[in-house]
Amino acid sequence: MKLLVVGASYRTAPVATLEQLAVPPADLIRTLDRLVAQPYVAEAVIVSTCNRVEVYAAVSGFHGGLGDICAVLADQAGATPAALANHLYVHYDAAAVDHVFRVASGLDSMVVGEAQILGQLRDAYHSASGADSAGRLLHELMQQALRVGKRAHAETNIDRAGQSVVTAALDLAADLLDGDLTGRPAMVVGAGAMGSLGVATLSRLGAGPLTVTNRGAERAVRLAASYGATAVPMTQLVDALTTVDVVVAATAATEPVLTRDVVTRALARRDAARGPLVLLDLAVPRDVEEGVAALPGVEVIDIDRMAAILADGPAAADAAEVARIVAGEVEAFLSWLRGADVAPTVAALRGRADDVVSAELRRLAQRRPDLTDDQRAEVARTVHRVVQRLLHQPTVRVRQLAAEPGGDQYAALLRELFDLEVPQQTSPVDTVPDVVEAEIVMPADPIQPTGGAR
């Protein structure tokens, strides 16, 4: 099996495209099932967050796997592969491992070093495990990625820059409100993971009083009670907006919650002397309707705006140290992959040896019927012991050699020398095709994969 990553993020796609690609929780299992039902996709994990949608897959071939994944993503987005092509990136084998480890360590995040992605990766992995769409290869990849992410935060100071997306967005909001959120009334729309983080961060920054609203009233009540906030029904959204200065919107709704009509009615009753109403839209799909940003007295901070402002992040030295950790971990994982690739060949060699020994012992029994059971058992033990000793050093050595770059050739040589029949292997580190297969309709500039043999 080969590792393949196909995705889009805030780096390559506008919010509108990420909204199209986003896989809501209710559709996650169905989409995973569709992926692994494709001819070339054996395993799949989907990471769908506010600023990235990625598929991690174990595929039996690059072209076929890419075509299968693009088809499912295009169907999810209600678009064609050609329409998405300019926004998608593809990482293959070595580069796929590198990308996943960089994501886990926060190097690929909008706010470099933020730790929230670790929880999101863990949730994605648990969902795939529950759907039985993660097999041996992705189980190992995801477990190692989570370990690498924890190591990056434990061994470096990347957390200095690793504030959450919520914290970064609220810092931008503070700049629009005289530089301080202390004592500013605020509201959080949504009571999921991002909403909970929003309430916690607002509380830590001294904002208040705090209001929480959510379509599921019970979750809003529980979240509000944890921070001394007030829960209000979603039906009172307009009233609540008239009393706050900052809103963190982070629901899983498929349609905008803060529509132009809702915000316009709230503004009409809100004291303009309070300053702008700052709306932080951290949801994908968007919670704030597109036309709201044009209303007077409103400032909208969404993923697109954050990406532009945070393009040059701090802590370059810490990021470089994390990159060094990632590079070492990638090589270690690739060594494991190469070792895993040779295992079936070693098993086939030992199986061939056992077959030869068994055949010779049967022949001995026919030629020497006079041997007692004890004598035949002793001969069998001796022959097996001799064969195992002869095979021990070569099999240990071929595993060591296979763990080195280019080590897949040793397994191939072993199969050739002993004429071994091994189930069809696809090397974990293989040469990457230059272009996407012809049947995948792409624009003039096709997706170029990264990765391949080192």
Side-chain angles (χ1 to χ4, degrees), residues 178-239:
D178 301 325
D180 191 3
L181 295 182
T182 302
R184 291 278 188 174
M187 179 170 63
V188 174
V189 182
M194 188 72 80
S196 299
L197 188 58
V199 176
T201 307
L202 283 165
S203 178
R204 176 173 57 81
L205 294 175
L210 301 180
T211 304
V212 180
T213 187
N214 188 59
R215 289 189 186 278
E218 289 185 6
R219 294 188 68 177
V221 170
R222 288 197 301 270
L223 178 58
S226 300
Y227 292 93
T230 301
V232 299
M234 188 70 80
T235 54
Q236 297 179 17
L237 182 58
V238 173
D239 292 336

Side-chain angles (χ1 to χ4, degrees), residues 6 62-63 66-71 74 80-90 435-448:
V6 182
F62 173 81
H63 291 305
L66 179 58
D68 286 346
I69 294 170
C70 285
T80 64
L84 296 175
N86 288 334
H87 302 298
L88 295 177
Y89 43 79
V90 177
V435 294
V436 176
E437 196 173 39
E439 72 252 27
I440 303 174
V441 180
M442 294 294 178
D445 296 323
I447 299 173
Q448 293 297 322

